[in-house]
Structure formats: C-alpha cells, structure tokens
Amino acid sequence: MQIKIKCSCSEESCQEWAIVEIQGAIEIQPSFQNRLDNLDIGQLCRPSSPENYTFTVGYHELAGSKVPLKKPFLVLKKKKTINVEQQSSENDSPGAELEVVGIIRHRILFKTRPKALISKPQPVVKKRASATGSSAPIK
Amino acid sequence: MEQPHSGRRGAEAVLNLQPGSSISVAHHPLFGPHDDLILLELDEKLLPHILHQRVTLRGQPDEDAVLCTPSKTYGIKFVGNSNSVFLIPPSDHSILCEASEDHNGKGHIQQASASVIKVAPGSMELVEVAPRLDKLRLLLSENPYRSGEALQFEDVDGMEKCITGLYTWDDLVDKVQASDEELRTGLMAFSAVEINGYWRIVDEEYMGKLLMALFPSSVLNDWSLNALNEDEVVGALVQDGFPQKLAHHCLSVYGSKVGEGVNGSCLWSLDERRVCVHFAREILRRGKRKMESLMEEWRRKIPEGMQASFDMLEGEVLTEKLGVDLWVRAFSVSALPLTPAERFSVLFKERAKWEWKDLQPYIRDLKVPGLSLEGLLLKYTRRIQPTLDAEPIFSAR
C-alpha cells in the first residue's frame, strides 16, 4: 500500500507555522472546560532586548527565547478519502491521504521557572507549573 | 509595552513580533484535538523530495509504515513531548476553513490574538533503516520460473493457472517496504528478470540448462568465453528453444559486459567464479560430499579453460571434519535472512561457535544504516579471545 505525501506549496514558499512551547500545562477553570474556542491563554511579549520573550499566563510570567529547530517540522494533514469503487483494486485506494500544510522552523521556548506576579487579578486560565508547588486558586 | 497589535492573527504575527511589542495568545475558534494534524521532523536535505512530491509511505495494514524517498527508507516513530506545544497556524490558513463552514460566525471572528489550533502531544521522527528486502525474496520465491513454463505461456488456460505468486513492478512497490532505487538494486541482487511484465527469479536448474546449451554452441562456433557476441549467443540459445529474455538473462547472471562488438552487438565475458560456483552448487544440491570427491567431480564439470579453486566457494559452503575425512556441504549466504538479528540467529543455529575467517563471508553483506560491521558484532555476538595471538571466536549473545 502506498500513500503519497502531497505538497501543494511551491518551492521555498511552504507556509510557516509557529510553536509556543512551555514546560508543564495550562489549567482551565472548570466552568470554561467546554468553551475553549476563543478563550484567551496569555500574553506574549517581546521586551526591547533582542532575543528575549515573556509569556504571561494567569499570574505566572515565563521567560524564554525564539529558538531555531535543529530539524524543521512539517505539518501534515491526514485526510480520509471515501472511495466508492473500493472493491475493484486494492492498489489505487488506500483510503487516506497525507498533505503538507505547513513547515515549522522556529519555536518560542519557555523553559525557566515561572515567576509569580501576585498582584495580577485571578484570570480564567492559569499556568500550572510542573515543578513549583503553586498556591490554590482563589475564587 | 505597546498595545496588542490588532488584525494580525497567526503564526506570522508571533514569528515577526518586534522588540517592544506584544500579542495575546488565545485558543483558536476551532481549537481541538485535530488528530489529523501531525508534526513530522524532517532533515533539511529531505525537504526537496517532499516539495516535489517524491515521498511516499509504504506498508501493508499489518506492518509499521515506512517513509520512502526515491532512494532511501526510513522507519517512523512517534516521540511524545511532555511540554505543552501550542501550534499556531498562519492567519490565512485555508485548510481550517473546511471545518469552519459549519461554525458560521465563529470562523469569521476577527482575532486580535495569535490563535492556537491544538496542543501537539509529540511528533514523528524518522530513522534511516535498511529496506525490507527479505519480503521481496519471499514473494519472488513463490513462483520461480522453471523449465516447461515457456510452453505453458503459449497456452492461455495455462497462463491463468500459473497467475498466483506473480508480481509486477507495481505489485512489488505496493507490497515491499523499500524505496524504488533499493527495490531495483534488490531485484538485481536476486538476479531477477522481468518476463511478460512479471518479475521472476529463475530456478537454478533452468539456469543450468541455459549454461549447458551455451558451452557446446561456443565450442561449435569457436566463440571465446571472454568475448561472447550477445546477438550470436542469444540467437543460438533461441534456436535451442529458449525464450530470448532468458537467453539474455543467462549472460547477465554468469557474465559481464565488456564492450561493443563489430556490428553494435554487446560483448560479454563469462565470469569464471560465477560459472564454477554454479557447478559446485549443482553437485552439492544432491547432498554433502567428501572434499576429494567434490573437487574431482567439480573439475570434470567446469568448461574447458576454466580453473576451479576451493576459495571460490567462500560464503557458499561449510566444511566439517568427520573422522579423518573433510566433508563439504552447501550453505549459501544468498539464502540467509537479510536482517542482522535473524541472520545471526540462523548462523548460530548452524554452528555455535565461529572463527572470524569462517564468519566473515556470511556477514559482510549485512548493511544497517548507522552500524558498522564491528558494531554489528558487538550487538549480536559474544567474542572470546583467550590470548592476544589466538583466533577470536564468536558465539551467540
């Protein structure tokens, strides 16, 4: 069985996607678990100094930088094809297609311990750090 | 810091974020698991193959898929990431619009933030692997071309009957996990030939018949075995009743092209080793022989002008001392598995301990990307060397 990896981007013009990567996971308040669409996560800032970025989620501020990937990532989309004439020959209809929809060459990586900004108001989304024992959420 | 930049919504806003500015990051209106979006880590040098659509995934439903470029094969493994990887598409990403048709207003909300479409659990990584050619040999062995088949194909009914175990190039690409180039190389290594669109291995006895017809013709026509004229040889063999394709195949299996003859026809030289090995194998097919008996019959069988020497049989035979006699039996590396683990398993089943000089001909053809011969030995064998000047002995791990 063969599945061709399709690519409709022309040479060098593959759309570039972005990655923001943090250690740990974000925690959504229970009342918003089912309404994730459009829900704010945080603020990504680039202060004046060249390669530094900050990402503020809830009352945590993370420090990071834009890092080029050692090897680029391709973003592939898997599509199921519905084939009416599937009985005739097994060779032509694998039932799935793969297409390149983008490429990723950089990620904004945050891997330091988050800094707590205690004066900020409690938001809907907060950062759950994997290492620190953060305080319980305040309603 | 400045106000968030409204109107710019996607990856480009994140990647081009200027010093002294900020952007809010939010869940995309269509945020979800999107299991159909996969990240594949790819070496930069493979990118041109992808862009030119020369890359395919190959494998049967019950096999682990491999990724093939025109000339190499890669295993695919999923590597998880415990970090949260927020994936942000470009703002004008059309692929996502297919799903947004159901969401009416949602897809058209002007986002003032960069939108995360999914949190990627990990990515696929590629590891170069050896092509899975054992399966190719298995498929080709299902229906080797034998004597008598030439007649069968003239009869239409006969053709229907022998249609099982026959594979075209496309069938092989469909079933064998190897790149096109590796598949072609594999077919050549197995001395396969394309007959009526099907790739076939020719039964050794039939090849023997072709050779046996070639020699008297060469004597009759006073041909030099080092400068055989392709047209003349093929012509004579066809006269003897052999199909043209197989007459030609005989030359490529036992000889090498050495140039062009007078009338544009190719010149071939028979390879002494390949011819002699053929006759030794023929003798040993009937069972093991005492060394003296083998050498005597072998010398009688080989054509005039050729010399047989025992070292030609390296990688083809094993010897064992039984009493005062040295016995020889067939054990050909060409019949052994191509994957290292299985190869060593078969070798150590045959003999528990191997000296390096005996082992070497049976493993030097093993090719594993990223592993040298020393690496293979380290991985699959235990090496015993009692003293520095003693011969090292290899046994199973």
mmCIF file of all heavy atoms in Angstrom, chain B residues 284 287-295 310 317-329 351 357-358:
data_model
loop_
_atom_site.group_PDB
_atom_site.id
_atom_site.type_symbol
_atom_site.label_atom_id
_atom_site.label_comp_id
_atom_site.label_asym_id
_atom_site.label_seq_id
_atom_site.Cartn_x
_atom_site.Cartn_y
_atom_site.Cartn_z
ATOM 1 N N LEU B 284 26.522 -30.148 -5.015
ATOM 2 C CA LEU B 284 26.182 -30.229 -3.585
ATOM 3 C C LEU B 284 24.686 -30.223 -3.334
ATOM 4 O O LEU B 284 24.238 -30.519 -2.221
ATOM 5 C CB LEU B 284 26.856 -29.088 -2.832
ATOM 6 C CG LEU B 284 28.371 -29.207 -2.765
ATOM 7 C CD1 LEU B 284 28.999 -27.927 -2.230
ATOM 8 C CD2 LEU B 284 28.779 -30.387 -1.894
ATOM 9 N N GLY B 287 23.560 -33.342 -1.977
ATOM 10 C CA GLY B 287 23.957 -33.740 -0.625
ATOM 11 C C GLY B 287 25.421 -33.431 -0.374
ATOM 12 O O GLY B 287 26.154 -33.034 -1.275
ATOM 13 N N LYS B 288 25.848 -33.607 0.863
ATOM 14 C CA LYS B 288 27.234 -33.268 1.178
ATOM 15 C C LYS B 288 28.202 -34.284 0.560
ATOM 16 O O LYS B 288 27.821 -35.412 0.279
ATOM 17 C CB LYS B 288 27.448 -33.161 2.689
ATOM 18 C CG LYS B 288 27.278 -34.435 3.465
ATOM 19 C CD LYS B 288 27.473 -34.137 4.945
ATOM 20 C CE LYS B 288 27.254 -35.391 5.783
ATOM 21 N NZ LYS B 288 27.132 -35.064 7.199
ATOM 22 N N ARG B 289 29.435 -33.817 0.339
ATOM 23 C CA ARG B 289 30.433 -34.658 -0.298
ATOM 24 C C ARG B 289 31.753 -34.562 0.428
ATOM 25 O O ARG B 289 32.084 -33.535 1.012
ATOM 26 C CB ARG B 289 30.639 -34.192 -1.753
ATOM 27 C CG ARG B 289 29.414 -34.292 -2.605
ATOM 28 C CD ARG B 289 29.127 -35.721 -2.962
ATOM 29 N NE ARG B 289 29.998 -36.154 -4.027
ATOM 30 C CZ ARG B 289 29.707 -36.053 -5.322
ATOM 31 N NH1 ARG B 289 28.567 -35.518 -5.694
ATOM 32 N NH2 ARG B 289 30.546 -36.467 -6.223
ATOM 33 N N LYS B 290 32.546 -35.607 0.264
ATOM 34 C CA LYS B 290 33.917 -35.541 0.775
ATOM 35 C C LYS B 290 34.691 -34.601 -0.129
ATOM 36 O O LYS B 290 34.457 -34.557 -1.344
ATOM 37 C CB LYS B 290 34.581 -36.926 0.709
ATOM 38 C CG LYS B 290 34.153 -37.850 1.804
ATOM 39 C CD LYS B 290 35.080 -39.061 1.878
ATOM 40 C CE LYS B 290 34.330 -40.256 2.439
ATOM 41 N NZ LYS B 290 35.031 -41.513 2.273
ATOM 42 N N MET B 291 35.610 -33.854 0.466
ATOM 43 C CA MET B 291 36.360 -32.832 -0.272
ATOM 44 C C MET B 291 36.947 -33.360 -1.566
ATOM 45 O O MET B 291 36.785 -32.768 -2.629
ATOM 46 C CB MET B 291 37.459 -32.267 0.643
ATOM 47 C CG MET B 291 38.356 -31.270 -0.040
ATOM 48 S SD MET B 291 37.540 -29.702 -0.407
ATOM 49 C CE MET B 291 37.886 -28.832 1.105
ATOM 50 N N GLU B 292 37.638 -34.510 -1.493
ATOM 51 C CA GLU B 292 38.321 -35.036 -2.689
ATOM 52 C C GLU B 292 37.307 -35.350 -3.781
ATOM 53 O O GLU B 292 37.520 -35.051 -4.951
ATOM 54 C CB GLU B 292 39.107 -36.320 -2.367
ATOM 55 C CG GLU B 292 40.201 -36.158 -1.329
ATOM 56 C CD GLU B 292 39.669 -36.089 0.096
ATOM 57 O OE1 GLU B 292 38.543 -36.601 0.347
ATOM 58 O OE2 GLU B 292 40.357 -35.514 0.945
ATOM 59 N N SER B 293 36.178 -35.961 -3.382
ATOM 60 C CA SER B 293 35.145 -36.331 -4.341
ATOM 61 C C SER B 293 34.559 -35.092 -5.004
ATOM 62 O O SER B 293 34.325 -35.058 -6.211
ATOM 63 C CB SER B 293 34.064 -37.138 -3.610
ATOM 64 O OG SER B 293 32.916 -37.193 -4.385
ATOM 65 N N LEU B 294 34.316 -34.059 -4.188
ATOM 66 C CA LEU B 294 33.764 -32.817 -4.723
ATOM 67 C C LEU B 294 34.716 -32.203 -5.743
ATOM 68 O O LEU B 294 34.315 -31.871 -6.863
ATOM 69 C CB LEU B 294 33.504 -31.814 -3.589
ATOM 70 C CG LEU B 294 33.222 -30.373 -4.036
ATOM 71 C CD1 LEU B 294 31.862 -30.285 -4.711
ATOM 72 C CD2 LEU B 294 33.288 -29.396 -2.861
ATOM 73 N N MET B 295 35.989 -32.068 -5.351
ATOM 74 C CA MET B 295 36.962 -31.410 -6.227
ATOM 75 C C MET B 295 37.112 -32.158 -7.543
ATOM 76 O O MET B 295 37.198 -31.548 -8.606
ATOM 77 C CB MET B 295 38.325 -31.281 -5.523
ATOM 78 C CG MET B 295 38.350 -30.373 -4.302
ATOM 79 S SD MET B 295 37.654 -28.726 -4.566
ATOM 80 C CE MET B 295 38.914 -27.990 -5.599
ATOM 81 N N PHE B 310 38.997 -23.950 -4.404
ATOM 82 C CA PHE B 310 38.066 -24.044 -3.275
ATOM 83 C C PHE B 310 37.699 -22.686 -2.669
ATOM 84 O O PHE B 310 36.589 -22.498 -2.173
ATOM 85 C CB PHE B 310 38.632 -24.977 -2.195
ATOM 86 C CG PHE B 310 37.634 -25.310 -1.134
ATOM 87 C CD1 PHE B 310 36.546 -26.126 -1.422
ATOM 88 C CD2 PHE B 310 37.744 -24.770 0.143
ATOM 89 C CE1 PHE B 310 35.600 -26.412 -0.451
ATOM 90 C CE2 PHE B 310 36.804 -25.058 1.117
ATOM 91 C CZ PHE B 310 35.730 -25.875 0.824
ATOM 92 N N VAL B 317 29.754 -22.643 1.071
ATOM 93 C CA VAL B 317 29.835 -23.978 1.672
ATOM 94 C C VAL B 317 30.422 -23.934 3.070
ATOM 95 O O VAL B 317 31.117 -22.986 3.438
ATOM 96 C CB VAL B 317 30.700 -24.932 0.820
ATOM 97 C CG1 VAL B 317 30.126 -25.130 -0.568
ATOM 98 C CG2 VAL B 317 32.134 -24.443 0.747
ATOM 99 N N LEU B 318 30.112 -24.965 3.830
ATOM 100 C CA LEU B 318 30.737 -25.150 5.131
ATOM 101 C C LEU B 318 31.438 -26.497 5.140
ATOM 102 O O LEU B 318 30.978 -27.443 4.491
ATOM 103 C CB LEU B 318 29.682 -25.127 6.237
ATOM 104 C CG LEU B 318 29.041 -23.787 6.553
ATOM 105 C CD1 LEU B 318 28.016 -23.948 7.675
ATOM 106 C CD2 LEU B 318 30.080 -22.749 6.941
ATOM 107 N N THR B 319 32.560 -26.560 5.867
ATOM 108 C CA THR B 319 33.283 -27.834 5.938
ATOM 109 C C THR B 319 33.224 -28.362 7.365
ATOM 110 O O THR B 319 33.123 -27.591 8.327
ATOM 111 C CB THR B 319 34.765 -27.651 5.567
ATOM 112 O OG1 THR B 319 35.347 -26.682 6.447
ATOM 113 C CG2 THR B 319 34.911 -27.170 4.134
ATOM 114 N N GLU B 320 33.242 -29.673 7.487
ATOM 115 C CA GLU B 320 33.324 -30.279 8.817
ATOM 116 C C GLU B 320 34.132 -31.568 8.746
ATOM 117 O O GLU B 320 34.076 -32.312 7.758
ATOM 118 C CB GLU B 320 31.930 -30.541 9.388
ATOM 119 C CG GLU B 320 31.048 -31.388 8.507
ATOM 120 C CD GLU B 320 29.651 -31.594 9.095
ATOM 121 O OE1 GLU B 320 29.511 -31.562 10.336
ATOM 122 O OE2 GLU B 320 28.729 -31.788 8.287
ATOM 123 N N LYS B 321 34.888 -31.778 9.800
ATOM 124 C CA LYS B 321 35.734 -32.958 9.854
ATOM 125 C C LYS B 321 34.947 -34.077 10.523
ATOM 126 O O LYS B 321 34.463 -33.938 11.637
ATOM 127 C CB LYS B 321 36.996 -32.649 10.684
ATOM 128 C CG LYS B 321 38.165 -33.502 10.303
ATOM 129 C CD LYS B 321 39.405 -32.679 9.975
ATOM 130 C CE LYS B 321 40.573 -33.626 9.788
ATOM 131 N NZ LYS B 321 40.954 -33.973 8.522
ATOM 132 N N LEU B 322 34.777 -35.198 9.778
ATOM 133 C CA LEU B 322 34.102 -36.365 10.337
ATOM 134 C C LEU B 322 35.087 -37.518 10.257
ATOM 135 O O LEU B 322 35.342 -38.055 9.182
ATOM 136 C CB LEU B 322 32.818 -36.693 9.553
ATOM 137 C CG LEU B 322 31.682 -35.671 9.645
ATOM 138 C CD1 LEU B 322 30.598 -35.968 8.632
ATOM 139 C CD2 LEU B 322 31.085 -35.678 11.054
ATOM 140 N N GLY B 323 35.679 -37.810 11.373
ATOM 141 C CA GLY B 323 36.712 -38.854 11.352
ATOM 142 C C GLY B 323 37.951 -38.284 10.690
ATOM 143 O O GLY B 323 38.427 -37.199 11.050
ATOM 144 N N VAL B 324 38.441 -38.975 9.696
ATOM 145 C CA VAL B 324 39.643 -38.486 9.001
ATOM 146 C C VAL B 324 39.277 -37.653 7.776
ATOM 147 O O VAL B 324 40.130 -37.000 7.179
ATOM 148 C CB VAL B 324 40.583 -39.635 8.560
ATOM 149 C CG1 VAL B 324 41.239 -40.288 9.757
ATOM 150 C CG2 VAL B 324 39.830 -40.658 7.730
ATOM 151 N N ASP B 325 37.996 -37.682 7.409
ATOM 152 C CA ASP B 325 37.590 -37.002 6.176
ATOM 153 C C ASP B 325 37.073 -35.596 6.422
ATOM 154 O O ASP B 325 36.444 -35.313 7.435
ATOM 155 C CB ASP B 325 36.481 -37.796 5.478
ATOM 156 C CG ASP B 325 36.922 -39.208 5.118
ATOM 157 O OD1 ASP B 325 38.002 -39.319 4.504
ATOM 158 O OD2 ASP B 325 36.202 -40.152 5.467
ATOM 159 N N LEU B 326 37.332 -34.748 5.429
ATOM 160 C CA LEU B 326 36.782 -33.394 5.448
ATOM 161 C C LEU B 326 35.568 -33.414 4.519
ATOM 162 O O LEU B 326 35.674 -33.727 3.335
ATOM 163 C CB LEU B 326 37.829 -32.392 4.944
ATOM 164 C CG LEU B 326 37.488 -30.913 5.147
ATOM 165 C CD1 LEU B 326 37.410 -30.583 6.633
ATOM 166 C CD2 LEU B 326 38.545 -30.037 4.483
ATOM 167 N N TRP B 327 34.413 -33.099 5.093
ATOM 168 C CA TRP B 327 33.191 -33.084 4.295
ATOM 169 C C TRP B 327 32.767 -31.652 3.974
ATOM 170 O O TRP B 327 32.975 -30.732 4.762
ATOM 171 C CB TRP B 327 32.053 -33.788 5.061
ATOM 172 C CG TRP B 327 32.214 -35.274 5.106
ATOM 173 C CD1 TRP B 327 33.062 -35.974 5.921
ATOM 174 C CD2 TRP B 327 31.528 -36.243 4.307
ATOM 175 N NE1 TRP B 327 32.955 -37.313 5.698
ATOM 176 C CE2 TRP B 327 32.008 -37.513 4.710
ATOM 177 C CE3 TRP B 327 30.559 -36.170 3.310
ATOM 178 C CZ2 TRP B 327 31.539 -38.693 4.134
ATOM 179 C CZ3 TRP B 327 30.099 -37.346 2.739
ATOM 180 C CH2 TRP B 327 30.598 -38.599 3.151
ATOM 181 N N VAL B 328 32.153 -31.502 2.808
ATOM 182 C CA VAL B 328 31.714 -30.179 2.352
ATOM 183 C C VAL B 328 30.210 -30.226 2.121
ATOM 184 O O VAL B 328 29.704 -31.157 1.488
ATOM 185 C CB VAL B 328 32.408 -29.782 1.031
ATOM 186 C CG1 VAL B 328 32.018 -28.370 0.630
ATOM 187 C CG2 VAL B 328 33.925 -29.896 1.167
ATOM 188 N N ARG B 329 29.511 -29.210 2.627
ATOM 189 C CA ARG B 329 28.076 -29.151 2.301
ATOM 190 C C ARG B 329 27.679 -27.725 1.942
ATOM 191 O O ARG B 329 28.333 -26.759 2.334
ATOM 192 C CB ARG B 329 27.213 -29.663 3.460
ATOM 193 C CG ARG B 329 27.332 -28.875 4.711
ATOM 194 C CD ARG B 329 26.678 -29.631 5.864
ATOM 195 N NE ARG B 329 27.192 -29.174 7.125
ATOM 196 C CZ ARG B 329 26.744 -28.124 7.791
ATOM 197 N NH1 ARG B 329 25.736 -27.440 7.301
ATOM 198 N NH2 ARG B 329 27.284 -27.759 8.929
ATOM 199 N N ARG B 351 25.979 -23.278 13.597
ATOM 200 C CA ARG B 351 27.220 -23.561 14.340
ATOM 201 C C ARG B 351 27.244 -22.686 15.571
ATOM 202 O O ARG B 351 27.049 -21.487 15.463
ATOM 203 C CB ARG B 351 28.410 -23.139 13.488
ATOM 204 C CG ARG B 351 29.144 -24.236 12.816
ATOM 205 C CD ARG B 351 30.404 -23.704 12.207
ATOM 206 N NE ARG B 351 30.837 -24.593 11.140
ATOM 207 C CZ ARG B 351 31.832 -24.345 10.313
ATOM 208 N NH1 ARG B 351 32.492 -23.209 10.422
ATOM 209 N NH2 ARG B 351 32.171 -25.207 9.386
ATOM 210 N N LYS B 357 37.442 -15.981 10.279
ATOM 211 C CA LYS B 357 37.635 -16.187 8.855
ATOM 212 C C LYS B 357 36.464 -16.954 8.226
ATOM 213 O O LYS B 357 36.176 -16.789 7.040
ATOM 214 C CB LYS B 357 38.969 -16.907 8.569
ATOM 215 C CG LYS B 357 39.069 -18.315 9.118
ATOM 216 C CD LYS B 357 40.310 -18.998 8.556
ATOM 217 C CE LYS B 357 40.611 -20.316 9.237
ATOM 218 N NZ LYS B 357 39.502 -21.278 9.233
ATOM 219 N N ASP B 358 35.798 -17.780 9.026
ATOM 220 C CA ASP B 358 34.632 -18.504 8.520
ATOM 221 C C ASP B 358 33.378 -17.639 8.568
ATOM 222 O O ASP B 358 32.493 -17.755 7.726
ATOM 223 C CB ASP B 358 34.377 -19.765 9.357
ATOM 224 C CG ASP B 358 35.520 -20.760 9.258
ATOM 225 O OD1 ASP B 358 36.154 -20.816 8.188
ATOM 226 O OD2 ASP B 358 35.781 -21.460 10.257
#
